[in-house]
Coordinates of all heavy atoms in Angstrom, one line a residue:
M328 N 0.9 -1.2 0.0 CA 0.0 0.0 0.0 C 0.9 1.2 0.0 O 1.8 1.3 0.8 CB -0.9 0.0 1.3 CG -1.5 1.3 1.5 SD -3.2 1.4 1.1 CE -4.0 0.1 2.1
E329 N 0.5 2.2 -0.8 CA 1.3 3.4 -0.9 C 0.4 4.5 -0.5 O -0.9 4.5 -0.7 CB 1.8 3.6 -2.3 CG 2.7 2.5 -2.7 CD 3.7 3.0 -3.8 OE1 4.5 3.9 -3.6 OE2 3.6 2.4 -4.9
E330 N 0.9 5.6 0.0 CA 0.1 6.8 0.3 C 0.9 8.0 0.0 O 2.1 8.1 0.2 CB -0.1 6.7 1.9 CG -0.9 7.9 2.3 CD -1.1 7.9 3.8 OE1 -1.6 6.9 4.4 OE2 -0.8 8.9 4.5
K331 N 0.2 9.0 -0.5 CA 0.8 10.3 -0.8 C -0.2 11.4 -0.7 O -1.4 11.2 -1.0 CB 1.4 10.3 -2.2 CG 2.2 11.5 -2.5 CD 2.9 11.3 -3.9 CE 3.6 12.7 -4.3 NZ 4.9 12.8 -3.6
T332 N 0.2 12.5 -0.2 CA -0.6 13.7 -0.2 C -0.2 14.6 -1.4 O 0.9 15.1 -1.4 CB -0.5 14.5 1.1 OG1 -0.9 13.6 2.2 CG2 -1.4 15.7 1.2
F333 N -1.2 14.8 -2.3 CA -0.9 15.7 -3.4 C -1.4 17.1 -3.2 O -2.5 17.3 -2.6 CB -1.7 15.1 -4.7 CG -1.2 13.7 -5.1 CD1 -1.8 12.6 -4.6 CD2 -0.2 13.6 -6.0 CE1 -1.4 11.3 -4.9 CE2 0.2 12.3 -6.4 CZ -0.4 11.2 -5.9
S334 N -0.6 18.0 -3.6 CA -1.0 19.4 -3.6 C -1.8 19.7 -4.9 O -1.2 19.5 -5.9 CB 0.2 20.3 -3.4 OG -0.2 21.6 -3.5
V335 N -3.0 20.2 -4.7 CA -3.8 20.5 -5.9 C -4.3 21.9 -5.9 O -5.4 22.2 -5.3 CB -5.0 19.5 -6.0 CG1 -5.8 19.8 -7.3 CG2 -4.6 18.1 -6.0
P336 N -3.5 22.9 -6.4 CA -3.8 24.3 -6.3 C -5.2 24.7 -6.8 O -5.8 25.7 -6.3 CB -2.7 25.0 -7.1 CG -1.6 24.0 -7.2 CD -2.3 22.6 -7.2
K337 N -5.8 24.0 -7.7 CA -7.1 24.4 -8.3 C -8.3 24.1 -7.4 O -9.4 24.5 -7.7 CB -7.3 23.8 -9.7 CG -6.4 24.5 -10.7 CD -6.7 24.0 -12.1 CE -8.0 24.5 -12.7 NZ -8.2 24.0 -14.1
I338 N -8.1 23.4 -6.3 CA -9.2 23.1 -5.4 C -9.6 24.5 -4.8 O -8.8 25.2 -4.2 CB -8.7 22.2 -4.3 CG1 -8.5 20.8 -4.8 CG2 -9.8 22.2 -3.1 CD1 -8.0 19.8 -3.8
S339 N -10.9 24.8 -4.9 CA -11.4 26.0 -4.3 C -12.5 25.8 -3.2 O -12.8 26.7 -2.5 CB -11.9 27.0 -5.4 OG -13.0 26.4 -6.1
C340 N -13.1 24.6 -3.2 CA -14.1 24.4 -2.2 C -14.4 22.9 -2.0 O -13.7 22.0 -2.7 CB -15.4 25.1 -2.6 SG -16.2 24.3 -4.1
G341 N -15.3 22.5 -1.1 CA -15.6 21.2 -0.9 C -16.1 20.4 -2.1 O -16.0 19.2 -2.2
H342 N -16.8 21.1 -3.0 CA -17.3 20.4 -4.2 C -16.2 19.9 -5.0 O -16.3 18.9 -5.6 CB -18.2 21.4 -5.0 CG -19.5 21.7 -4.3 ND1 -19.7 23.0 -3.8 CD2 -20.5 21.0 -4.0 CE1 -20.9 23.0 -3.2 NE2 -21.4 21.8 -3.3
C343 N -15.1 20.7 -5.1 CA -13.9 20.2 -5.9 C -13.4 19.0 -5.3 O -13.1 18.0 -6.0 CB -12.8 21.3 -5.9 SG -13.3 22.9 -6.5
V344 N -13.3 19.0 -4.0 CA -12.8 17.8 -3.3 C -13.7 16.6 -3.5 O -13.2 15.5 -3.9 CB -12.7 18.0 -1.7 CG1 -12.4 16.8 -1.0 CG2 -11.6 19.1 -1.5
N345 N -15.0 16.8 -3.5 CA -15.9 15.7 -3.8 C -15.8 15.1 -5.2 O -15.8 13.9 -5.4 CB -17.3 16.1 -3.5 CG -17.6 16.2 -2.0 OD1 -16.9 15.6 -1.2 ND2 -18.6 16.9 -1.6
A346 N -15.6 16.1 -6.1 CA -15.5 15.6 -7.5 C -14.2 14.8 -7.7 O -14.2 13.8 -8.4 CB -15.4 16.9 -8.5
I347 N -13.1 15.3 -7.1 CA -11.9 14.5 -7.2 C -12.0 13.2 -6.5 O -11.5 12.2 -7.1 CB -10.7 15.4 -6.6 CG1 -10.5 16.6 -7.4 CG2 -9.5 14.5 -6.4 CD1 -9.6 17.6 -6.7
K348 N -12.6 13.1 -5.4 CA -12.8 11.9 -4.7 C -13.6 10.9 -5.5 O -13.2 9.7 -5.6 CB -13.5 12.1 -3.3 CG -12.6 12.7 -2.2 CD -13.4 13.1 -1.0 CE -13.7 11.9 -0.1 NZ -14.2 12.4 1.2
E349 N -14.6 11.3 -6.1 CA -15.4 10.4 -7.0 C -14.6 9.8 -8.1 O -14.7 8.6 -8.4 CB -16.6 11.2 -7.6 CG -17.9 11.1 -6.7 CD -19.1 11.8 -7.4 OE1 -19.2 11.7 -8.7 OE2 -19.9 12.4 -6.7
E350 N -13.9 10.7 -8.8 CA -13.1 10.2 -9.9 C -12.0 9.3 -9.5 O -11.8 8.2 -10.1 CB -12.5 11.4 -10.7 CG -13.5 12.3 -11.3 CD -14.2 11.6 -12.5 OE1 -13.7 10.6 -13.0 OE2 -15.2 12.2 -12.9
L351 N -11.3 9.6 -8.4 CA -10.1 8.8 -8.0 C -10.6 7.4 -7.5 O -10.0 6.4 -7.6 CB -9.2 9.5 -7.0 CG -8.5 10.7 -7.5 CD1 -7.5 11.2 -6.4 CD2 -7.7 10.4 -8.8
N352 N -11.8 7.5 -6.8 CA -12.3 6.2 -6.2 C -12.7 5.2 -7.3 O -12.9 4.0 -7.0 CB -13.5 6.5 -5.3 CG -13.1 6.9 -3.9 OD1 -12.1 6.3 -3.4 ND2 -13.8 7.8 -3.3
E353 N -12.9 5.7 -8.5 CA -13.3 4.8 -9.6 C -12.1 4.1 -10.1 O -12.2 3.1 -10.9 CB -13.8 5.7 -10.8 CG -15.1 6.5 -10.5 CD -16.3 5.7 -10.9 OE1 -16.4 5.3 -12.0 OE2 -17.2 5.6 -10.1
M354 N -10.9 4.5 -9.8 CA -9.7 3.9 -10.3 C -9.4 2.6 -9.6 O -9.5 2.5 -8.4 CB -8.5 4.8 -10.1 CG -8.5 6.1 -10.9 SD -7.1 7.1 -10.6 CE -5.8 6.1 -11.3
D355 N -9.0 1.6 -10.5 CA -8.6 0.3 -9.9 C -7.4 0.5 -9.0 O -6.4 1.1 -9.4 CB -8.2 -0.7 -11.1 CG -9.4 -1.4 -11.6 OD1 -10.5 -1.3 -10.9 OD2 -9.3 -2.2 -12.6
G356 N -7.4 -0.1 -7.8 CA -6.3 0.0 -6.9 C -6.3 1.1 -5.9 O -5.6 1.0 -4.9
V357 N -7.1 2.1 -6.2 CA -7.2 3.2 -5.2 C -8.1 2.8 -4.1 O -9.2 2.3 -4.3 CB -7.8 4.5 -5.9 CG1 -8.1 5.6 -4.8 CG2 -6.8 5.1 -6.9
T358 N -7.6 2.8 -2.8 CA -8.3 2.3 -1.7 C -8.9 3.4 -0.8 O -9.8 3.1 0.0 CB -7.4 1.4 -0.9 OG1 -6.2 2.1 -0.5 CG2 -7.1 0.1 -1.7
S359 N -8.3 4.6 -0.8 CA -8.8 5.6 0.0 C -8.4 7.0 -0.5 O -7.3 7.2 -1.1 CB -8.2 5.5 1.4 OG -8.3 6.6 2.2
V360 N -9.4 7.9 -0.5 CA -9.2 9.3 -1.0 C -9.7 10.2 0.1 O -10.9 10.1 0.5 CB -9.8 9.6 -2.3 CG1 -9.4 11.0 -2.8 CG2 -9.5 8.5 -3.4
D361 N -8.9 11.2 0.5 CA -9.4 12.2 1.5 C -8.9 13.5 1.0 O -7.8 13.6 0.4 CB -8.8 11.9 2.8 CG -9.8 12.1 3.9 OD1 -10.8 12.9 3.7 OD2 -9.6 11.6 5.0
G362 N -9.7 14.6 1.2 CA -9.3 15.9 0.7 C -9.6 17.0 1.7 O -10.5 16.8 2.5
D363 N -8.8 18.0 1.6 CA -9.0 19.2 2.5 C -9.0 20.5 1.6 O -7.9 20.9 1.1 CB -7.9 19.2 3.5 CG -8.0 20.4 4.5 OD1 -8.9 21.2 4.3 OD2 -7.2 20.4 5.4
P364 N -10.1 21.1 1.5 CA -10.2 22.3 0.7 C -9.3 23.5 1.3 O -8.8 24.4 0.6 CB -11.7 22.7 0.6 CG -12.3 21.9 1.6 CD -11.5 20.7 2.0
G365 N -9.2 23.4 2.6 CA -8.4 24.5 3.3 C -7.0 24.5 2.9 O -6.4 25.6 2.7
T366 N -6.4 23.3 2.8 CA -4.9 23.2 2.5 C -4.8 22.9 1.0 O -3.6 22.7 0.5 CB -4.2 22.2 3.3 OG1 -4.9 20.9 3.2 CG2 -4.3 22.5 4.8
K367 N -5.9 22.7 0.3 CA -5.9 22.3 -1.2 C -5.0 21.0 -1.4 O -4.1 21.0 -2.2 CB -5.3 23.5 -2.0 CG -6.2 24.7 -1.9 CD -5.6 25.8 -2.7 CE -6.3 27.2 -2.5 NZ -7.6 27.3 -3.0
T368 N -5.3 20.0 -0.6 CA -4.6 18.8 -0.7 C -5.5 17.6 -0.8 O -6.6 17.7 -0.3 CB -3.6 18.5 0.5 OG1 -4.4 18.6 1.7 CG2 -2.5 19.6 0.5
I369 N -5.0 16.5 -1.4 CA -5.7 15.3 -1.6 C -4.8 14.2 -1.1 O -3.7 14.0 -1.6 CB -6.1 15.0 -3.1 CG1 -7.1 16.1 -3.6 CG2 -6.8 13.6 -3.2 CD1 -8.5 16.0 -3.1
K370 N -5.3 13.4 -0.1 CA -4.5 12.3 0.4 C -5.0 11.0 -0.2 O -6.2 10.7 -0.1 CB -4.5 12.2 1.9 CG -3.6 11.2 2.4 CD -3.4 11.3 3.9 CE -4.4 10.4 4.7 NZ -4.2 10.4 6.1
V371 N -4.2 10.3 -0.9 CA -4.6 9.0 -1.6 C -3.8 7.8 -1.1 O -2.6 7.9 -0.9 CB -4.4 9.2 -3.1 CG1 -5.0 8.0 -3.9 CG2 -4.9 10.5 -3.7
Q372 N -4.5 6.8 -0.9 CA -3.9 5.5 -0.6 C -4.2 4.6 -1.8 O -5.3 4.5 -2.3 CB -4.4 4.8 0.7 CG -4.0 5.6 1.9 CD -4.5 5.0 3.2 OE1 -5.4 4.2 3.2 NE2 -3.8 5.3 4.3
W373 N -3.2 3.8 -2.2 CA -3.4 2.9 -3.4 C -2.5 1.7 -3.3 O -1.5 1.7 -2.6 CB -3.2 3.7 -4.7 CG -1.8 4.0 -5.0 CD1 -0.9 3.3 -5.7 CD2 -1.0 5.2 -4.6 NE1 0.3 3.9 -5.8 CE2 0.3 5.1 -5.1 CE3 -1.3 6.4 -3.9 CZ2 1.3 6.1 -5.0 CZ3 -0.4 7.3 -3.7 CH2 0.9 7.2 -4.2
E374 N -2.8 0.8 -4.2 CA -2.0 -0.4 -4.4 C -2.1 -0.7 -5.9 O -2.9 -0.1 -6.6 CB -2.5 -1.6 -3.6 CG -3.9 -1.9 -3.7 CD -4.5 -2.8 -2.6 OE1 -3.9 -2.8 -1.5 OE2 -5.5 -3.5 -2.8
A375 N -1.4 -1.7 -6.4 CA -1.4 -2.0 -7.8 C -2.8 -2.4 -8.2 O -3.6 -3.0 -7.4 CB -0.5 -3.2 -8.1
P376 N -3.3 -2.1 -9.4 CA -2.5 -1.6 -10.5 C -2.3 0.0 -10.5 O -1.7 0.5 -11.5 CB -3.2 -2.0 -11.8 CG -4.7 -2.0 -11.3 CD -4.6 -2.4 -9.9
A377 N -2.9 0.7 -9.6 CA -2.7 2.1 -9.6 C -1.3 2.5 -9.3 O -0.6 1.7 -8.6 CB -3.7 2.7 -8.5
T378 N -0.9 3.6 -9.8 CA 0.5 4.1 -9.6 C 0.4 5.6 -9.3 O -0.6 6.2 -9.7 CB 1.4 3.9 -10.8 OG1 0.9 4.6 -11.9 CG2 1.5 2.4 -11.1
E379 N 1.5 6.2 -8.8 CA 1.5 7.6 -8.6 C 1.3 8.3 -9.9 O 0.5 9.3 -10.1 CB 2.8 8.1 -7.9 CG 2.8 9.6 -7.8 CD 4.0 10.2 -7.0 OE1 4.6 9.4 -6.3 OE2 4.3 11.4 -7.2
E380 N 1.9 7.7 -11.0 CA 1.8 8.3 -12.3 C 0.3 8.3 -12.8 O -0.1 9.2 -13.4 CB 2.7 7.6 -13.3 CG 4.2 7.8 -13.1 CD 4.7 7.2 -11.8 OE1 4.2 6.2 -11.4 OE2 5.6 7.9 -11.2
S381 N -0.3 7.2 -12.6 CA -1.7 7.1 -13.1 C -2.7 8.0 -12.3 O -3.6 8.5 -12.9 CB -2.2 5.6 -13.1 OG -2.4 5.1 -11.7
I382 N -2.4 8.2 -11.0 CA -3.2 9.1 -10.2 C -2.9 10.6 -10.7 O -3.9 11.3 -10.9 CB -2.9 9.0 -8.8 CG1 -3.4 7.6 -8.3 CG2 -3.5 10.1 -7.9 CD1 -2.8 7.1 -7.0
R383 N -1.7 10.9 -10.9 CA -1.4 12.2 -11.4 C -2.0 12.5 -12.8 O -2.5 13.6 -13.1 CB 0.2 12.4 -11.6 CG 0.8 12.6 -10.2 CD 2.3 12.9 -10.4 NE 3.0 13.2 -9.1 CZ 3.0 14.4 -8.6 NH1 2.5 15.4 -9.2 NH2 3.6 14.6 -7.4
A384 N -2.0 11.4 -13.7 CA -2.6 11.5 -15.0 C -4.1 11.8 -14.9 O -4.7 12.6 -15.6 CB -2.3 10.3 -15.8
M385 N -4.8 11.1 -13.9 CA -6.2 11.3 -13.8 C -6.5 12.7 -13.2 O -7.4 13.3 -13.7 CB -6.8 10.2 -12.8 CG -8.2 10.4 -12.5 SD -9.3 10.3 -13.9 CE -9.4 8.5 -14.1
L386 N -5.7 13.1 -12.3 CA -5.9 14.5 -11.8 C -5.8 15.5 -12.9 O -6.6 16.5 -13.0 CB -4.9 14.8 -10.7 CG -5.2 14.1 -9.3 CD1 -4.0 14.2 -8.4 CD2 -6.4 14.6 -8.7
K387 N -4.8 15.3 -13.8 CA -4.7 16.2 -14.9 C -5.9 16.1 -15.9 O -6.4 17.1 -16.3 CB -3.4 15.8 -15.6 CG -2.8 16.9 -16.5 CD -1.4 16.5 -17.0 CE -0.9 17.5 -18.0 NZ 0.4 17.1 -18.5
E388 N -6.3 14.9 -16.1 CA -7.4 14.7 -17.0 C -8.7 15.4 -16.6 O -9.5 15.9 -17.4 CB -7.6 13.2 -17.2 CG -8.6 12.8 -18.3 CD -8.8 11.2 -18.3 OE1 -7.8 10.5 -18.1 OE2 -10.0 10.8 -18.4
I389 N -8.9 15.4 -15.3 CA -10.2 16.0 -14.7 C -10.0 17.5 -14.4 O -10.8 18.1 -13.7 CB -10.7 15.2 -13.5 CG1 -9.8 15.2 -12.4 CG2 -11.1 13.8 -13.9 CD1 -10.3 14.6 -11.1
N390 N -8.8 18.0 -14.8 CA -8.6 19.4 -14.7 C -8.2 19.9 -13.3 O -8.5 21.0 -13.0 CB -9.7 20.2 -15.3 CG -9.2 21.5 -16.0 OD1 -8.1 21.6 -16.4 ND2 -10.1 22.4 -16.2
Y391 N -7.7 19.0 -12.5 CA -7.2 19.3 -11.2 C -5.8 18.8 -11.1 O -5.5 17.9 -10.2 CB -8.1 18.8 -10.1 CG -9.4 19.4 -9.9 CD1 -10.6 18.8 -10.3 CD2 -9.5 20.7 -9.4 CE1 -11.8 19.4 -10.2 CE2 -10.7 21.3 -9.2 CZ -11.9 20.6 -9.6 OH -13.1 21.3 -9.5
P392 N -4.9 19.3 -11.9 CA -3.5 18.8 -11.9 C -2.8 19.0 -10.5 O -3.0 20.0 -9.9 CB -2.8 19.6 -13.0 CG -3.6 20.8 -13.2 CD -5.0 20.4 -12.8
A393 N -2.1 18.0 -10.1 CA -1.3 18.1 -8.9 C -0.1 19.0 -9.2 O 0.5 19.0 -10.3 CB -0.8 16.7 -8.4
A394 N 0.3 19.8 -8.1 CA 1.5 20.7 -8.3 C 2.7 19.9 -8.4 O 2.8 18.7 -7.9 CB 1.5 21.6 -7.1
Ligands
CU1114 CU1 -14.9 23.8 -5.7

């Protein structure tokens, strides 16, 4: 299991966090997604087949790229 907190500057409110959580939770291997609009961060836990690269790619695709 891997875990990382991504900084996502485009987060502006709780709705952004919920949208990101929904998308990341759809990914194979992602086991937990938590977000904080105050610090504009998303904490993700994952295992194979998900990778940090695939998570970053998804964040970019949904227009919330990680810094
Ligand atoms: Cu928002």
Side-chain angles (χ1 to χ4, degrees):
M328 166 102 62
E329 301 203 59
E330 178 182 307
K331 187 176 172 79
T332 299
F333 296 90
S334 174
V335 182
K337 285 182 78 175
I338 290 175
S339 59
C340 69
H342 292 110
C343 300
V344 169
N345 284 339
I347 292 167
K348 283 170 85 168
E349 269 186 34
E350 295 289 345
L351 293 187
N352 275 321
E353 301 264 311
M354 293 178 67
D355 271 354
V357 170
T358 53
S359 164
V360 185
D361 219 340
D363 181 354
T366 56
K367 301 180 190 288
T368 55
I369 296 287
K370 186 169 92 175
V371 187
Q372 292 181 338
W373 72 91
E374 54 197 24
T378 62
E379 179 174 342
E380 290 67 35
S381 68
I382 291 164
R383 285 181 175 276
M385 176 60 81
L386 287 170
K387 198 171 176 183
E388 188 183 319
I389 63 175
N390 215 20
Y391 288 107

